[in-house]
Amino acid sequence: MTPISPTAVARLMAREEARFLAANPNSVALAGRARHSLFGGVPMHWMSDWSTPVPLFVSQAQGARFTDVDDHDYVDFCLGDTGSMFGHSPLPVAEAIARQAYLGLTTMLPGEDAVVCGELLAERFGLPLWQVAATATDANRYALRWARAITGRSVVLVFDGCYHGTVEETMVRLREGKTVARSGLIGMGSDPALASRVVPFNDPAALEAALAPGDVAAVLCEPAMTNIGMVLPDPGFHHTLRELTRRHGTLLIIDETHTLSTHPGGCTRAWSLEPDLLTLGKAIAGGLPCAVFGFTQEVASGMAAAQDRAASGHGHSGMGTTLSANAMVMHALRANLTRVMTQAAYAHMLHEARRLAEGLRRLIERHALPWSVTELGARCEFQFCPAPPRTGAEAEAAFDDPLQRALHLYLINRGILITPFHNMMLCCPETRSEQVDQLLTTLDEAIAALLAGDG
Ligand code: PMP
């Protein structure tokens, strides 16, 4: 149990909300105006779920920083929940966008950039063939569609606590040993649990039992879970996962959308994973709507055979959107892969994240808190449990939303943004050591205030 009283949390939250409202008159005014034209006062409804009493409106962002409409400056450790993993508006991407802006945005035809990007992706991630989608959600959805088509099986297996975008089949949880729809879903056409099976992460026996019926088309997973707090794989778990999926004729899809922060070739390269399909989105084109998925020659043969079987004259496979792989994003993707996602950029991100994780551990120890720190590449997370969780359920059990929201708002009011809904922090190539220190000092003050009970 965290030795911080709910009363202290509530008191701190009330004080910080008042402070935010007083300090942000322009955000408050825009929020009021927005309610007349935007549902819930935001362009996408979940943008009102942050810890601030009204949305924080941004005026501009660059590198590791952004400015709000009240002219406050922030250090950004959220970075668009990884969409800006390589900093806001990296110069080579901004220049590529400016160049392409006058040369055609979308034509529904490929250009040379597409070919270069295919070659760059193949070299970087080790899978020979690629397709381009608009969002990571789409890339995962298409990967699952192809997996079903290739295997002729219907079931998708995911790990409890997963998030892979708004892909219906992945909106499931494990409750008392059963696969159920996760709570909060709205307007589903069918029960997502019908098409899916869920097992705990790091549980080879449950995985084997779930694959044994021979009806699972694909396992879709992140190399480490990053959306329920962070959960790292046990040593050997990926080896077992690969071995079991091969044995049961199930394809393995690895979603590296977030874990791209670990290594220039993702965990797939760093840990020598052997996915049949690999999906990536968000940061891959510097934060433009672009996602990619790569696959093996065997999968490609299966895809071609499925196309033959479907004999789809006009290509109505049910996959693809008009703006996918448009000229603008392909030009930005090329610039990002060649000039932004460099070894040097990663070396810096990893170094700062390591310093941050070490600083967090010291801070937790100094305050004798029963919390832990999980570290993965350029990202790290503090969780309200004494040992790093091994499953999504353990990670979820450690959630303390009031405490998390109070800490986040305290940081925001002092010019620091971390990823909402849990406690994830990401360092980008522009993140400076002083900014990491500033985060640690400010968090230290927040914790001290909460422990003193004075909120
Ligand atoms: N995969 C993972 C691992 C993610 O974390 C997310 C989004 N957080 C997605 C896919 C979906 O990305 P998008 O919302 O850009 O479609």
Side-chain angles (χ1 to χ4, degrees):
M1 274 289 286
T2 295
I4 293 175
S5 81
T7 325
V9 172
R11 216 179 292 143
L12 183 100
M13 191 65 186
R15 197 182 73 196
E16 294 302 321
E17 282 185 336
R19 179 175 170 143
F20 181 92
L21 292 171
N24 292 281
N26 292 335
S27 271
V28 171
L30 277 177
R33 193 173 133 201
R35 277 193 276 274
H36 299 292
S37 63
L38 299 172
F39 174 70
V42 277
M44 184 38 88
H45 64 82
W46 47 255
M47 285 187 183
S48 58
D49 293 346
W50 287 76
S51 57
T52 52
V54 301
L56 177 65
F57 285 81
V58 174
S59 61
Q60 60 178 59
Q62 174 63 62
R65 310 192 70 94
F66 72 91
T67 309
D68 71 18
V69 292
D70 287 283
D71 260 345
H72 304 123
D73 227 7
Y74 296 81
V75 186
D76 193 355
F77 291 93
C78 167
L79 294 161
D81 193 22
T82 74
S84 299
M85 184 182 292
F86 305 106
H88 293 290
S89 291
L91 195 58
V93 173
E95 286 170 353
I97 290 172
R99 216 167 26 245
Q100 191 64 38
Y102 297 94
L103 301 174
L105 305 181
T106 187
T107 57
M108 251 177 55
L109 289 166
E112 193 202 9
D113 283 334
V115 183
V116 174
C117 287
E119 291 163 358
L120 291 167
L121 290 165
E123 193 191 335
R124 182 178 281 260
F125 296 102
L127 286 155
L129 292 159
W130 292 82
Q131 290 278 273
V132 180
T135 64
T137 297
D138 277 350
N140 283 326
R141 190 176 281 136
Y142 305 155
L144 292 177
R145 291 285 294 268
W146 282 118
R148 285 205 177 100
I150 292 166
T151 60
R153 300 174 176 186
S154 60
V155 179
V156 168
L157 192 142
V158 292
F159 292 112
D160 189 36
C162 73
Y163 186 73
H164 297 284
T166 54
V167 181
E168 278 77 0
E169 296 95 321
T170 66
M171 295 295 202
V172 283
R173 287 285 187 263
L174 193 62
R175 291 287 176 263
E176 289 159 16
K178 289 207 168 50
T179 299
V180 299
R182 64 179 290 176
S183 62
L185 295 177
I186 293 172
M188 303 297 284
S190 60
D191 182 354
L194 295 174
S196 315
R197 199 163 290 154
V198 187
V199 297
F201 198 57
N202 283 326
D203 187 340
L207 178 63
E208 176 146 38
L211 294 175
D215 56 356
V216 179
V219 171
L220 171 60
C221 67
E222 291 188 275
M225 303 191 83
T226 69
N227 281 296
I228 185 102
M230 201 133 65
V231 183
L232 300 183
D234 285 347
F237 181 66
H238 274 288
H239 179 77
T240 307
L241 170 63
R242 186 60 280 198
E243 204 267 314
L244 286 174
T245 44
R246 284 212 173 104
R247 191 187 317 154
H248 292 283
T250 295
L251 292 172
L252 177 60
I253 307 170
I254 296 203
D255 178 350
E256 293 259 22
T257 298
H258 276 177
T259 48
L260 181 61
S261 64
T262 309
H263 182 276
C267 290
T268 293
R269 281 293 203 200
W271 300 347
S272 304
L273 306 179
E274 295 175 13
D276 297 297
L277 297 102
L278 168 70
T279 61
L280 288 152
K282 296 204 197 189
I284 195 72
L288 289 192
C290 179
V292 296
F293 58 107
F295 34 90
T296 60
Q297 287 290 354
E298 296 70 46
V299 167
S301 306
M303 288 163 67
Q307 280 181 313
D308 287 345
R309 281 196 301 279
S312 55
H314 291 288
H316 285 291
S317 64
M319 290 175 271
T321 51
T322 314
L323 298 187
S324 301
N326 67 68
M328 173 67 96
V329 300
M330 296 316 283
H331 201 52
L333 175 60
R334 179 176 178 169
N336 203 45
L337 288 169
T338 49
R339 297 179 53 208
V340 180
M341 293 174 60
T342 61
Q343 293 281 357
Y346 273 90
H348 179 83
M349 292 159 73
L350 267 55
H351 172 74
E352 288 306 328
R354 165 58 49 91
R355 284 191 64 245
L356 175 55
E358 284 166 357
L360 287 169
R361 287 196 187 100
R362 279 197 300 275
L363 192 157
I364 287 170
E365 204 180 302
R366 196 164 56 248
H367 290 291
L369 291 167
W371 299 356
S372 50
V373 176
T374 306
E375 208 181 324
L376 181 71
R379 303 181 94 196
C380 65
E381 163 122 22
F382 60 94
Q383 284 153 298
F384 304 131
C385 48
R390 286 188 54 248
T391 65
E394 281 179 24
E396 199 166 16
F399 277 11
D400 182 337
D401 285 348
L403 176 58
Q404 172 258 107
R405 291 172 69 83
L407 288 173
H408 286 221
L409 185 54
Y410 187 98
L411 293 172
I412 287 173
N413 280 336
R414 287 150 189 85
I416 296 169
L417 192 75
I418 68 173
T419 310
F421 320 134
H422 44 113
N423 299 311
M424 184 85 77
M425 288 144 290
L426 168 64
C427 294
C428 76
E430 316 283 331
T431 308
R432 305 269 75 90
S433 298
E434 314 82 81
Q435 295 169 332
V436 168
D437 295 341
Q438 187 188 340
L439 166 57
L440 289 167
T441 310
T442 314
L443 195 57
D444 196 19
E445 286 163 11
I447 292 169
L450 285 165
L451 283 171
D454 61 5

